[in-house]
PDB file of all heavy atoms in Angstrom:
ATOM      1  N   LEU O  54       6.030  10.083 -13.614  1.00  0.00           N
ATOM      2  CA  LEU O  54       5.615  11.204 -14.632  1.00  0.00           C
ATOM      3  C   LEU O  54       6.416  12.453 -14.239  1.00  0.00           C
ATOM      4  O   LEU O  54       6.565  13.460 -15.097  1.00  0.00           O
ATOM      5  CB  LEU O  54       4.192  11.585 -14.352  1.00  0.00           C
ATOM      6  CG  LEU O  54       3.072  10.662 -14.663  1.00  0.00           C
ATOM      7  CD1 LEU O  54       1.657  11.171 -14.328  1.00  0.00           C
ATOM      8  CD2 LEU O  54       3.090  10.310 -16.160  1.00  0.00           C
ATOM      9  N   GLY O  55       7.316  12.332 -13.178  1.00  0.00           N
ATOM     10  CA  GLY O  55       8.185  13.491 -12.946  1.00  0.00           C
ATOM     11  C   GLY O  55       7.497  14.637 -12.340  1.00  0.00           C
ATOM     12  O   GLY O  55       6.367  14.523 -11.810  1.00  0.00           O
ATOM     13  N   THR O  56       8.184  15.788 -12.329  1.00  0.00           N
ATOM     14  CA  THR O  56       7.525  17.012 -11.835  1.00  0.00           C
ATOM     15  C   THR O  56       7.618  18.073 -12.925  1.00  0.00           C
ATOM     16  O   THR O  56       8.417  18.950 -12.830  1.00  0.00           O
ATOM     17  CB  THR O  56       8.139  17.561 -10.519  1.00  0.00           C
ATOM     18  OG1 THR O  56       9.615  17.600 -10.716  1.00  0.00           O
ATOM     19  CG2 THR O  56       7.825  16.782  -9.366  1.00  0.00           C
ATOM     20  N   PRO O  57       6.873  17.850 -13.967  1.00  0.00           N
ATOM     21  CA  PRO O  57       6.947  18.776 -15.081  1.00  0.00           C
ATOM     22  C   PRO O  57       6.275  20.086 -14.846  1.00  0.00           C
ATOM     23  O   PRO O  57       5.582  20.289 -13.910  1.00  0.00           O
ATOM     24  CB  PRO O  57       6.237  18.071 -16.193  1.00  0.00           C
ATOM     25  CG  PRO O  57       5.178  17.208 -15.431  1.00  0.00           C
ATOM     26  CD  PRO O  57       5.809  16.911 -14.232  1.00  0.00           C
ATOM     27  N   GLN O  58       6.364  21.002 -15.859  1.00  0.00           N
ATOM     28  CA  GLN O  58       5.720  22.324 -15.681  1.00  0.00           C
ATOM     29  C   GLN O  58       4.232  22.196 -15.992  1.00  0.00           C
ATOM     30  O   GLN O  58       3.415  23.024 -15.603  1.00  0.00           O
ATOM     31  CB  GLN O  58       6.390  23.398 -16.790  1.00  0.00           C
ATOM     32  CG  GLN O  58       7.762  23.824 -16.451  1.00  0.00           C
ATOM     33  CD  GLN O  58       7.925  24.460 -15.081  1.00  0.00           C
ATOM     34  OE1 GLN O  58       7.352  25.462 -14.868  1.00  0.00           O
ATOM     35  NE2 GLN O  58       8.535  23.803 -14.084  1.00  0.00           N
ATOM     36  N   SER O  59       3.884  21.231 -16.752  1.00  0.00           N
ATOM     37  CA  SER O  59       2.402  21.045 -17.053  1.00  0.00           C
ATOM     38  C   SER O  59       1.936  19.605 -17.316  1.00  0.00           C
ATOM     39  O   SER O  59       2.794  18.757 -17.685  1.00  0.00           O
ATOM     40  CB  SER O  59       1.924  21.917 -18.173  1.00  0.00           C
ATOM     41  OG  SER O  59       2.399  21.314 -19.446  1.00  0.00           O
ATOM     42  N   PHE O  60       0.711  19.321 -16.965  1.00  0.00           N
ATOM     43  CA  PHE O  60       0.145  17.976 -17.190  1.00  0.00           C
ATOM     44  C   PHE O  60      -1.020  18.251 -18.101  1.00  0.00           C
ATOM     45  O   PHE O  60      -1.767  19.133 -18.030  1.00  0.00           O
ATOM     46  CB  PHE O  60      -0.430  17.344 -16.018  1.00  0.00           C
ATOM     47  CG  PHE O  60       0.659  16.728 -15.105  1.00  0.00           C
ATOM     48  CD1 PHE O  60       0.865  17.211 -13.810  1.00  0.00           C
ATOM     49  CD2 PHE O  60       1.386  15.673 -15.562  1.00  0.00           C
ATOM     50  CE1 PHE O  60       1.754  16.630 -12.933  1.00  0.00           C
ATOM     51  CE2 PHE O  60       2.376  15.169 -14.676  1.00  0.00           C
ATOM     52  CZ  PHE O  60       2.495  15.611 -13.481  1.00  0.00           C
ATOM     53  N   THR O  61      -1.290  17.311 -19.071  1.00  0.00           N
ATOM     54  CA  THR O  61      -2.519  17.210 -19.752  1.00  0.00           C
ATOM     55  C   THR O  61      -3.472  16.092 -19.343  1.00  0.00           C
ATOM     56  O   THR O  61      -2.955  15.034 -19.243  1.00  0.00           O
ATOM     57  CB  THR O  61      -2.355  17.042 -21.323  1.00  0.00           C
ATOM     58  OG1 THR O  61      -1.348  18.038 -21.709  1.00  0.00           O
ATOM     59  CG2 THR O  61      -3.533  17.178 -22.054  1.00  0.00           C
ATOM     60  N   ILE O  62      -4.667  16.393 -18.940  1.00  0.00           N
ATOM     61  CA  ILE O  62      -5.508  15.395 -18.311  1.00  0.00           C
ATOM     62  C   ILE O  62      -6.800  15.266 -19.266  1.00  0.00           C
ATOM     63  O   ILE O  62      -7.370  16.371 -19.625  1.00  0.00           O
ATOM     64  CB  ILE O  62      -6.021  15.850 -16.970  1.00  0.00           C
ATOM     65  CG1 ILE O  62      -4.779  15.850 -15.940  1.00  0.00           C
ATOM     66  CG2 ILE O  62      -7.043  14.870 -16.278  1.00  0.00           C
ATOM     67  CD1 ILE O  62      -5.091  16.411 -14.601  1.00  0.00           C
ATOM     68  N   VAL O  88      -7.884  18.945 -20.436  1.00  0.00           N
ATOM     69  CA  VAL O  88      -7.576  19.935 -19.423  1.00  0.00           C
ATOM     70  C   VAL O  88      -6.089  20.018 -19.254  1.00  0.00           C
ATOM     71  O   VAL O  88      -5.306  18.993 -19.106  1.00  0.00           O
ATOM     72  CB  VAL O  88      -8.108  19.580 -18.056  1.00  0.00           C
ATOM     73  CG1 VAL O  88      -7.865  20.535 -16.885  1.00  0.00           C
ATOM     74  CG2 VAL O  88      -9.619  19.337 -18.112  1.00  0.00           C
ATOM     75  N   VAL O  89      -5.604  21.372 -19.346  1.00  0.00           N
ATOM     76  CA  VAL O  89      -4.125  21.545 -19.292  1.00  0.00           C
ATOM     77  C   VAL O  89      -3.872  22.206 -17.898  1.00  0.00           C
ATOM     78  O   VAL O  89      -4.262  23.333 -17.681  1.00  0.00           O
ATOM     79  CB  VAL O  89      -3.501  22.260 -20.509  1.00  0.00           C
ATOM     80  CG1 VAL O  89      -2.079  22.530 -20.221  1.00  0.00           C
ATOM     81  CG2 VAL O  89      -3.715  21.535 -21.675  1.00  0.00           C
ATOM     82  N   VAL O  90      -3.131  21.635 -16.985  1.00  0.00           N
ATOM     83  CA  VAL O  90      -2.792  22.091 -15.788  1.00  0.00           C
ATOM     84  C   VAL O  90      -1.293  22.620 -15.742  1.00  0.00           C
ATOM     85  O   VAL O  90      -0.494  21.816 -16.099  1.00  0.00           O
ATOM     86  CB  VAL O  90      -2.899  21.157 -14.562  1.00  0.00           C
ATOM     87  CG1 VAL O  90      -2.978  21.837 -13.294  1.00  0.00           C
ATOM     88  CG2 VAL O  90      -4.137  20.301 -14.811  1.00  0.00           C
ATOM     89  N   SER O  91      -1.053  23.839 -15.499  1.00  0.00           N
ATOM     90  CA  SER O  91       0.334  24.344 -15.614  1.00  0.00           C
ATOM     91  C   SER O  91       0.733  25.293 -14.541  1.00  0.00           C
ATOM     92  O   SER O  91      -0.198  25.914 -13.892  1.00  0.00           O
ATOM     93  CB  SER O  91       0.635  24.896 -16.995  1.00  0.00           C
ATOM     94  OG  SER O  91      -0.232  25.959 -17.295  1.00  0.00           O
ATOM     95  N   ILE O  92       2.045  25.454 -14.301  1.00  0.00           N
ATOM     96  CA  ILE O  92       2.568  26.383 -13.287  1.00  0.00           C
ATOM     97  C   ILE O  92       2.518  27.759 -14.003  1.00  0.00           C
ATOM     98  O   ILE O  92       2.906  27.866 -15.147  1.00  0.00           O
ATOM     99  CB  ILE O  92       4.031  25.972 -12.991  1.00  0.00           C
ATOM    100  CG1 ILE O  92       3.985  24.836 -11.950  1.00  0.00           C
ATOM    101  CG2 ILE O  92       4.767  27.204 -12.447  1.00  0.00           C
ATOM    102  CD1 ILE O  92       3.647  25.169 -10.620  1.00  0.00           C
ATOM    103  N   PHE O  93       1.932  28.671 -13.401  1.00  0.00           N
ATOM    104  CA  PHE O  93       1.868  30.067 -13.987  1.00  0.00           C
ATOM    105  C   PHE O  93       2.687  31.042 -13.165  1.00  0.00           C
ATOM    106  O   PHE O  93       3.232  30.656 -12.149  1.00  0.00           O
ATOM    107  CB  PHE O  93       0.251  30.486 -13.855  1.00  0.00           C
ATOM    108  CG  PHE O  93      -0.044  31.644 -14.754  1.00  0.00           C
ATOM    109  CD1 PHE O  93       0.153  31.489 -16.111  1.00  0.00           C
ATOM    110  CD2 PHE O  93      -0.467  32.817 -14.234  1.00  0.00           C
ATOM    111  CE1 PHE O  93      -0.127  32.583 -16.966  1.00  0.00           C
ATOM    112  CE2 PHE O  93      -0.805  33.975 -15.096  1.00  0.00           C
ATOM    113  CZ  PHE O  93      -0.612  33.777 -16.465  1.00  0.00           C
ATOM    114  N   LYS O  97       1.360  30.383  -9.272  1.00  0.00           N
ATOM    115  CA  LYS O  97       0.008  29.977  -9.241  1.00  0.00           C
ATOM    116  C   LYS O  97      -0.119  28.808 -10.242  1.00  0.00           C
ATOM    117  O   LYS O  97       0.658  28.511 -11.027  1.00  0.00           O
ATOM    118  CB  LYS O  97      -0.816  31.240  -9.904  1.00  0.00           C
ATOM    119  CG  LYS O  97      -1.068  32.222  -8.903  1.00  0.00           C
ATOM    120  CD  LYS O  97      -1.961  33.317  -9.652  1.00  0.00           C
ATOM    121  CE  LYS O  97      -2.330  34.420  -8.550  1.00  0.00           C
ATOM    122  NZ  LYS O  97      -3.062  35.483  -9.139  1.00  0.00           N
ATOM    123  N   ILE O  98      -1.349  28.121 -10.097  1.00  0.00           N
ATOM    124  CA  ILE O  98      -1.576  26.998 -10.887  1.00  0.00           C
ATOM    125  C   ILE O  98      -2.704  27.498 -11.966  1.00  0.00           C
ATOM    126  O   ILE O  98      -3.719  28.118 -11.618  1.00  0.00           O
ATOM    127  CB  ILE O  98      -2.231  25.813 -10.245  1.00  0.00           C
ATOM    128  CG1 ILE O  98      -1.172  25.333  -9.182  1.00  0.00           C
ATOM    129  CG2 ILE O  98      -2.465  24.620 -11.274  1.00  0.00           C
ATOM    130  CD1 ILE O  98      -1.555  24.058  -8.535  1.00  0.00           C
ATOM    131  N   LYS O  99      -2.439  27.245 -13.295  1.00  0.00           N
ATOM    132  CA  LYS O  99      -3.396  27.581 -14.278  1.00  0.00           C
ATOM    133  C   LYS O  99      -4.133  26.356 -14.730  1.00  0.00           C
ATOM    134  O   LYS O  99      -3.471  25.321 -15.087  1.00  0.00           O
ATOM    135  CB  LYS O  99      -2.679  28.302 -15.455  1.00  0.00           C
ATOM    136  CG  LYS O  99      -3.576  28.720 -16.603  1.00  0.00           C
ATOM    137  CD  LYS O  99      -2.803  29.252 -17.722  1.00  0.00           C
ATOM    138  CE  LYS O  99      -3.776  29.525 -18.921  1.00  0.00           C
ATOM    139  NZ  LYS O  99      -3.033  30.005 -20.105  1.00  0.00           N
ATOM    140  N   VAL O 100      -5.470  26.420 -14.928  1.00  0.00           N
ATOM    141  CA  VAL O 100      -6.186  25.194 -15.410  1.00  0.00           C
ATOM    142  C   VAL O 100      -6.930  25.743 -16.655  1.00  0.00           C
ATOM    143  O   VAL O 100      -7.756  26.575 -16.523  1.00  0.00           O
ATOM    144  CB  VAL O 100      -7.220  24.692 -14.412  1.00  0.00           C
ATOM    145  CG1 VAL O 100      -7.985  23.513 -15.036  1.00  0.00           C
ATOM    146  CG2 VAL O 100      -6.470  24.258 -13.020  1.00  0.00           C
ATOM    147  N   ALA O 101      -6.537  25.171 -17.873  1.00  0.00           N
ATOM    148  CA  ALA O 101      -7.150  25.577 -19.033  1.00  0.00           C
ATOM    149  C   ALA O 101      -8.094  24.370 -19.504  1.00  0.00           C
ATOM    150  O   ALA O 101      -7.646  23.271 -19.733  1.00  0.00           O
ATOM    151  CB  ALA O 101      -6.080  25.931 -20.145  1.00  0.00           C
ATOM    152  N   ILE O 129      -3.390  10.946 -18.163  1.00  0.00           N
ATOM    153  CA  ILE O 129      -2.669  12.051 -17.809  1.00  0.00           C
ATOM    154  C   ILE O 129      -1.267  11.911 -18.520  1.00  0.00           C
ATOM    155  O   ILE O 129      -0.712  10.718 -18.630  1.00  0.00           O
ATOM    156  CB  ILE O 129      -2.462  12.069 -16.235  1.00  0.00           C
ATOM    157  CG1 ILE O 129      -1.478  13.394 -15.924  1.00  0.00           C
ATOM    158  CG2 ILE O 129      -1.902  10.890 -15.635  1.00  0.00           C
ATOM    159  CD1 ILE O 129      -1.543  13.796 -14.395  1.00  0.00           C
ATOM    160  N   LYS O 130      -0.730  12.975 -19.028  1.00  0.00           N
ATOM    161  CA  LYS O 130       0.670  12.952 -19.547  1.00  0.00           C
ATOM    162  C   LYS O 130       1.359  14.200 -19.260  1.00  0.00           C
ATOM    163  O   LYS O 130       0.875  15.278 -18.986  1.00  0.00           O
ATOM    164  CB  LYS O 130       0.541  12.640 -21.129  1.00  0.00           C
ATOM    165  CG  LYS O 130       0.013  13.807 -21.841  1.00  0.00           C
ATOM    166  CD  LYS O 130       0.144  13.485 -23.361  1.00  0.00           C
ATOM    167  CE  LYS O 130      -0.450  14.533 -24.197  1.00  0.00           C
ATOM    168  NZ  LYS O 130      -0.395  14.234 -25.613  1.00  0.00           N
ATOM    169  N   ALA O 131       2.706  13.953 -19.174  1.00  0.00           N
ATOM    170  CA  ALA O 131       3.635  15.120 -18.956  1.00  0.00           C
ATOM    171  C   ALA O 131       4.173  15.564 -20.133  1.00  0.00           C
ATOM    172  O   ALA O 131       4.795  14.736 -20.860  1.00  0.00           O
ATOM    173  CB  ALA O 131       4.669  14.657 -17.839  1.00  0.00           C
ATOM    174  N   GLY O 132       3.947  16.855 -20.520  1.00  0.00           N
ATOM    175  CA  GLY O 132       4.426  17.485 -21.764  1.00  0.00           C
ATOM    176  C   GLY O 132       4.068  16.510 -22.980  1.00  0.00           C
ATOM    177  O   GLY O 132       2.978  16.146 -23.121  1.00  0.00           O
ATOM    178  N   GLY O 133       5.160  16.260 -23.821  1.00  0.00           N
ATOM    179  CA  GLY O 133       4.874  15.460 -24.934  1.00  0.00           C
ATOM    180  C   GLY O 133       4.953  13.962 -24.767  1.00  0.00           C
ATOM    181  O   GLY O 133       5.053  13.157 -25.712  1.00  0.00           O
ATOM    182  N   LYS O 134       5.149  13.593 -23.552  1.00  0.00           N
ATOM    183  CA  LYS O 134       5.380  12.185 -23.279  1.00  0.00           C
ATOM    184  C   LYS O 134       4.113  11.313 -23.365  1.00  0.00           C
ATOM    185  O   LYS O 134       3.049  11.768 -23.571  1.00  0.00           O
ATOM    186  CB  LYS O 134       5.828  12.058 -21.845  1.00  0.00           C
ATOM    187  CG  LYS O 134       7.326  12.615 -21.723  1.00  0.00           C
ATOM    188  CD  LYS O 134       8.007  12.302 -20.402  1.00  0.00           C
ATOM    189  CE  LYS O 134       9.334  12.875 -20.332  1.00  0.00           C
ATOM    190  NZ  LYS O 134       9.764  13.140 -18.987  1.00  0.00           N
ATOM    191  N   LYS O 135       4.340  10.000 -23.140  1.00  0.00           N
ATOM    192  CA  LYS O 135       3.266   8.973 -23.274  1.00  0.00           C
ATOM    193  C   LYS O 135       2.204   9.236 -22.216  1.00  0.00           C
ATOM    194  O   LYS O 135       2.607   9.619 -21.070  1.00  0.00           O
ATOM    195  CB  LYS O 135       3.863   7.576 -23.126  1.00  0.00           C
ATOM    196  CG  LYS O 135       3.165   6.408 -23.736  1.00  0.00           C
ATOM    197  CD  LYS O 135       3.961   5.250 -23.546  1.00  0.00           C
ATOM    198  CE  LYS O 135       3.049   4.144 -23.218  1.00  0.00           C
ATOM    199  NZ  LYS O 135       3.587   2.971 -22.580  1.00  0.00           N
ATOM    200  N   VAL O 145      -3.262  17.231  -8.236  1.00  0.00           N
ATOM    201  CA  VAL O 145      -2.082  17.970  -8.870  1.00  0.00           C
ATOM    202  C   VAL O 145      -1.647  18.980  -7.725  1.00  0.00           C
ATOM    203  O   VAL O 145      -2.400  19.775  -7.226  1.00  0.00           O
ATOM    204  CB  VAL O 145      -2.380  18.527 -10.131  1.00  0.00           C
ATOM    205  CG1 VAL O 145      -1.251  19.375 -10.665  1.00  0.00           C
ATOM    206  CG2 VAL O 145      -2.797  17.591 -11.157  1.00  0.00           C
ATOM    207  N   ILE O 146      -0.413  18.802  -7.442  1.00  0.00           N
ATOM    208  CA  ILE O 146       0.138  19.588  -6.232  1.00  0.00           C
ATOM    209  C   ILE O 146       1.539  20.254  -6.720  1.00  0.00           C
ATOM    210  O   ILE O 146       2.342  19.571  -7.403  1.00  0.00           O
ATOM    211  CB  ILE O 146       0.499  18.698  -5.076  1.00  0.00           C
ATOM    212  CG1 ILE O 146      -0.709  17.865  -4.799  1.00  0.00           C
ATOM    213  CG2 ILE O 146       0.871  19.658  -3.873  1.00  0.00           C
ATOM    214  CD1 ILE O 146      -0.302  16.608  -3.878  1.00  0.00           C
ATOM    215  N   ASP O 148       5.217  21.105  -6.735  1.00  0.00           N
ATOM    216  CA  ASP O 148       6.343  20.424  -6.111  1.00  0.00           C
ATOM    217  C   ASP O 148       7.589  20.667  -6.905  1.00  0.00           C
ATOM    218  O   ASP O 148       7.626  20.572  -8.080  1.00  0.00           O
ATOM    219  CB  ASP O 148       6.037  18.912  -6.150  1.00  0.00           C
ATOM    220  CG  ASP O 148       6.966  18.077  -5.353  1.00  0.00           C
ATOM    221  OD1 ASP O 148       7.285  18.464  -4.219  1.00  0.00           O
ATOM    222  OD2 ASP O 148       7.473  17.066  -5.883  1.00  0.00           O
ATOM    223  N   GLY O 150       9.213  23.291  -8.019  1.00  0.00           N
ATOM    224  CA  GLY O 150       9.193  24.140  -9.037  1.00  0.00           C
ATOM    225  C   GLY O 150       8.281  23.704 -10.217  1.00  0.00           C
ATOM    226  O   GLY O 150       8.116  24.407 -11.192  1.00  0.00           O
ATOM    227  N   GLY O 151       7.813  22.454 -10.026  1.00  0.00           N
ATOM    228  CA  GLY O 151       6.901  21.972 -11.126  1.00  0.00           C
ATOM    229  C   GLY O 151       5.622  21.494 -10.442  1.00  0.00           C
ATOM    230  O   GLY O 151       5.185  22.013  -9.464  1.00  0.00           O
ATOM    231  N   LEU O 152       4.994  20.399 -11.146  1.00  0.00           N
ATOM    232  CA  LEU O 152       3.824  19.867 -10.562  1.00  0.00           C
ATOM    233  C   LEU O 152       3.989  18.399 -10.396  1.00  0.00           C
ATOM    234  O   LEU O 152       4.618  17.656 -11.152  1.00  0.00           O
ATOM    235  CB  LEU O 152       2.648  20.148 -11.556  1.00  0.00           C
ATOM    236  CG  LEU O 152       2.169  21.595 -11.773  1.00  0.00           C
ATOM    237  CD1 LEU O 152       1.291  21.672 -12.951  1.00  0.00           C
ATOM    238  CD2 LEU O 152       1.532  22.099 -10.576  1.00  0.00           C
ATOM    239  N   LEU O 153       3.346  17.837  -9.212  1.00  0.00           N
ATOM    240  CA  LEU O 153       3.383  16.499  -8.855  1.00  0.00           C
ATOM    241  C   LEU O 153       2.002  15.921  -9.099  1.00  0.00           C
ATOM    242  O   LEU O 153       1.080  16.630  -8.639  1.00  0.00           O
ATOM    243  CB  LEU O 153       3.831  16.308  -7.618  1.00  0.00           C
ATOM    244  CG  LEU O 153       3.789  14.968  -6.882  1.00  0.00           C
ATOM    245  CD1 LEU O 153       4.879  13.885  -7.475  1.00  0.00           C
ATOM    246  CD2 LEU O 153       3.862  14.888  -5.483  1.00  0.00           C
ATOM    247  N   ALA O 154       1.783  14.703  -9.665  1.00  0.00           N
ATOM    248  CA  ALA O 154       0.458  14.108  -9.779  1.00  0.00           C
ATOM    249  C   ALA O 154       0.451  13.001  -8.699  1.00  0.00           C
ATOM    250  O   ALA O 154       1.271  12.106  -8.605  1.00  0.00           O
ATOM    251  CB  ALA O 154       0.253  13.530 -11.186  1.00  0.00           C
TER     252      ALA O 154
END
Side-chain angles (χ1 to χ4, degrees):
L54 296 174
T56 49
Q58 293 296 298
S59 77
F60 283 119
T61 305
I62 296 174
V88 179
V89 179
V90 196
S91 52
I92 284 283
F93 196 64
K97 281 186 178 172
I98 302 183
K99 178 184 174 186
V100 180
I129 180 167
K130 69 174 174 182
K134 291 187 182 155
K135 207 177 137 198
V145 176
I146 312 164
D148 189 47
L152 294 170
L153 170 77

